Amino acid sequence: MKKILIFVFIVSNLLFAKELKVGSENAYAPFAYLDENNEATGFDNEVVKILASYLKDTQLTFVSVPWNAIFSGLDGAKFDVIANQISKTKEREEKYLFSAKPYFYGVSALILSKNGTAKHIDELKGKKIGVSIGSNHAFNLEKYAKDHPELDLKIVHYKTSPTLIADLANSRLDAIINDPIASLDYAKAQGVDIKVTEFYFEKVPVFLVFRKNSLALKQELDIALEKALQDGKIGELSQKYFGLDLSR
Amino acid sequence: MFDFDYFLASAARIYPGIYYTILIAALSFVLGLFFGLILALIRLYKIRLLNEIAIVYISFFRGTPLLVQLFVFYFGLPASFGSDFFGQIDAIYYALVVFSLYASAYLAEIMRSAILSVDKGQLEAAYSLGMSAFASFKRIVLPQAFMITLPNLCNFFIIQLKNTALAFTITVHDLMGLAEIEAGRSSKFLEAYLMAALMYWGVCMLFEFLFSLLEKKMKVFRKVYA
């Protein structure tokens, strides 16, 4: 009897629930990937799960799609929203709707070794700061050093990020400018401690993306996102994944 | 499209790297000659224990890629013996030491074969004039050996000059390093690398010329066939 009731409950739910299809790359740890049970997880996917908890009767379906087909999948209604670390560009804004608020910020952060105490790059007069070649982090630091010659920052260029972390850990560098998430990942792999500061050169906001004709859905999710940010749930999730709150 | 204006403009930002390129090549060559000669003599006179050590040493430095040697020293020393001391030493010193060790292994073999190729009769003639073993080696054998092997030395020096392009992997801002940084900034790889290539070539030609001058000077030691 009980089983039948549950069955009926599930079926009725499926019949009356709205289905929300989410497109994500699912090969992009730690943002969107499949766990060992092939369940979609990762920061961006979890954000959508939190948002869905604020909506009535919504059935979530995650559609895995390769990065190069992610926008055409949205166009072709294979799914209705993308949560995959997407930032605004002019071309994208012309074609799609973005959530009112970002749910995450990619940053170019000042990172110190575990004993570092600086809170601002200006405290690092004459110190050695590492960046990887050709990155936007290198570009930001070079520009800042040029605008502030009195700081006499010594920029050291690296070919790869892991060596950058290694040299920060063995005190060849006083600081690095890098993406904190990738840096923490490398540090964990190398078994060393690093310290991400609150000093950011730039913050690149990341949004949910909708088709132009999904205005109602967008507004619904905007309200849910606003609530989730207010409740600090997205912040908690960011803490859980990255050890720092990158939702504000 | 090849951006010719950028190509010319990049020269000003890449050329300061020549300083480190020449410094590493020249200093490692001189130190390598000195240390390599000692190794060669140890092997020629088969000094017990030292001979075995020299064989292993030469085999290791000739049998592993220079890139690996750089990494082993640069990342291995601080990791194994603490970064308080080894982390404070500037990357350029790591480069100078590793390049010198590498050069000494190659030059040891070049010198050994050169000394062996000097005619035994030369040494006997020196002894018959009452010269000591050390003096006859220094004044008779070594100059001739040096002359015989000068083309080989020139050859190795030029290879070493190009090897220095690896120094950037441990953050030394040599010619290749500045070219990489420049290419990373502008994403105009072809222009920056081509400029670096021309500069390497220029430095190589300069040293080829210097070696040819040296060869003219050393003519006096050339073997004369009656």
Side-chain angles (χ1 to χ4, degrees):
Chain A
M1 186 68 209
K2 204 171 169 187
K3 273 187 180 159
I4 293 173
L5 271 180
I6 290 174
F7 180 74
V8 169
F9 174 75
I10 289 174
V11 170
S12 64
N13 248 345
L14 283 175
L15 286 173
F16 298 111
K18 279 183 305 185
E19 193 189 23
L20 176 57
K21 287 186 182 162
V22 186
S24 68
E25 213 179 327
N26 288 338
Y28 185 30
F31 301 108
Y33 59 99
L34 299 175
D35 65 11
E36 53 272 16
N37 309 321
N38 273 340
E39 288 289 319
T41 185
F43 178 78
D44 293 46
N45 288 336
E46 296 280 337
V47 166
V48 179
K49 285 179 192 170
I50 290 174
L51 298 189
S53 72
Y54 286 89
L55 304 174
K56 269 206 187 70
D57 302 331
T58 298
Q59 195 63 40
L60 271 185
T61 312
F62 287 95
V63 181
S64 298
V65 55
W67 168 251
N68 54 11
I70 208 160
F71 285 104
S72 52
L74 184 65
D75 297 337
K78 283 197 169 58
F79 38 84
D80 308 307
V81 58
I82 305 174
N84 201 75
Q85 290 290 307
I86 292 182
S87 53
K88 274 185 187 174
T89 66
K90 240 178 92 163
E91 295 78 16
R92 288 175 191 166
E93 282 202 273
E94 279 165 13
K95 230 184 131 173
Y96 303 101
L97 294 174
F98 283 80
S99 55
K101 282 207 165 150
Y103 62 91
F104 180 83
Y105 290 92
V107 292
S108 191
L110 175 71
I111 300 170
L112 311 167
S113 59
K114 62 173 191 277
N115 309 325
T117 54
K119 288 193 170 47
H120 192 285
I121 191 150
D122 291 354
E123 296 169 46
L124 295 168
K125 241 193 167 107
K127 300 276 194 212
K128 284 188 187 163
I129 305 181
V131 286
S132 52
I133 293 183
S135 62
N136 60 326
H137 313 292
F139 179 79
N140 292 333
L141 181 63
E142 281 163 10
K143 189 173 174 308
Y144 194 85
K146 210 165 150 180
D147 296 344
H148 302 78
E150 75 283 355
L151 288 178
D152 183 33
L153 299 173
K154 298 193 169 47
I155 303 177
V156 189
H157 290 81
Y158 285 74
K159 281 182 82 128
T160 58
S161 274
T163 53
L164 188 64
I165 307 293
D167 268 5
L168 179 65
N170 65 30
S171 66
R172 280 204 178 102
L173 295 172
D174 301 293
I176 62 172
I177 305 291
N178 208 342
D179 169 40
I181 292 158
S183 302
L184 288 165
D185 253 10
Y186 291 129
K188 207 159 107 187
Q190 296 176 19
V192 297
D193 285 327
I194 57 173
K195 198 158 145 193
V196 179
T197 70
E198 301 268 307
F199 178 84
Y200 302 142
F201 269 118
E202 59 172 347
K203 288 172 81 169
V204 181
V206 166
F207 300 87
L208 297 169
V209 186
F210 309 86
R211 275 187 305 279
K212 277 273 198 237
N213 61 11
S214 306
L215 192 62
L217 175 67
K218 165 187 144 61
Q219 283 166 341
E220 216 179 344
L221 283 177
D222 276 347
I223 293 163
L225 178 57
E226 181 61 43
K227 280 182 189 158
L229 286 168
Q230 288 291 340
D231 297 351
K233 286 203 173 172
I234 310 263
E236 271 168 44
L237 187 71
S238 171
Q239 283 285 1
K240 183 187 127 187
Y241 267 89
F242 313 122
L244 59 155
D245 184 359
L246 291 166
S247 71
R248 283 177 294 119
Chain B
M1 264 313 288
F2 190 86
D3 185 343
F4 195 76
D5 290 341
Y6 171 76
F7 168 72
L8 293 179
S10 71
R13 289 190 292 274
I14 295 176
Y15 91 87
I18 291 177
Y19 167 75
Y20 281 121
T21 294
I22 293 180
L23 176 74
I24 296 169
L27 199 62
S28 69
F29 186 74
V30 172
L31 289 172
L33 271 180
F34 176 73
F35 194 46
L37 179 63
I38 294 172
L39 284 171
L41 292 175
I42 288 171
R43 297 232 29 217
L44 284 169
Y45 290 100
K46 297 212 171 35
I47 301 169
R48 250 183 327 146
L49 190 64
L50 286 180
N51 188 29
E52 282 71 36
I53 293 171
I55 289 172
V56 172
Y57 172 90
I58 291 168
S59 172
F60 174 80
F61 279 99
R62 293 205 313 169
T64 53
L66 182 53
L67 184 62
V68 175
Q69 292 165 22
L70 283 167
F71 279 178
V72 164
F73 278 77
Y74 184 75
F75 292 109
L77 288 178
S80 325
F81 303 108
S83 52
D84 302 344
F85 177 71
F86 287 108
Q88 300 312 311
I89 302 170
D90 212 76
I92 179 69
Y93 297 107
Y94 279 91
L96 290 172
V97 168
V98 175
F99 274 85
S100 299
L101 296 175
Y102 176 86
S104 68
Y106 268 88
L107 293 170
E109 287 302 289
I110 291 177
M111 306 274 238
R112 192 170 67 93
S113 62
I115 292 166
L116 282 173
S117 68
V118 175
D119 194 8
K120 272 278 191 298
Q122 299 282 324
L123 204 56
E124 283 161 11
Y127 287 159
S128 70
L129 290 172
M131 272 188 173
S132 70
F134 179 73
S136 50
F137 180 79
K138 194 183 110 183
R139 296 182 54 182
I140 308 292
V141 178
L142 203 54
Q144 289 186 67
F146 194 74
M147 181 59 222
I148 289 165
T149 200
L150 198 58
N152 294 331
L153 293 178
C154 174
N155 200 14
F156 177 76
F157 184 83
I158 283 168
I159 290 172
Q160 189 74 336
L161 206 53
K162 293 176 297 180
N163 281 339
T164 59
L166 292 170
F168 183 57
T169 57
I170 58 165
T171 75
V172 175
H173 285 192
D174 67 322
L175 192 49
M176 190 63 199
L178 294 187
E180 294 240 30
I181 291 167
E182 197 46 51
R185 270 188 204 131
S186 64
S187 294
K188 294 182 178 169
F189 296 93
L190 180 60
E191 288 87 341
Y193 291 151
L194 191 63
M195 181 50 79
L198 290 179
M199 287 182 178
Y200 274 112
W201 195 16
V203 173
C204 265
M205 288 200 291
L206 171 73
F207 279 96
E208 279 173 349
F209 173 70
L210 291 176
F211 268 96
S212 71
L213 286 186
L214 191 61
E215 206 162 345
K216 280 201 186 82
K217 259 188 89 93
M218 303 280 286
K219 247 198 194 122
V220 280
F221 299 115
R222 189 164 290 162
K223 223 172 184 169
V224 182
Y225 293 96

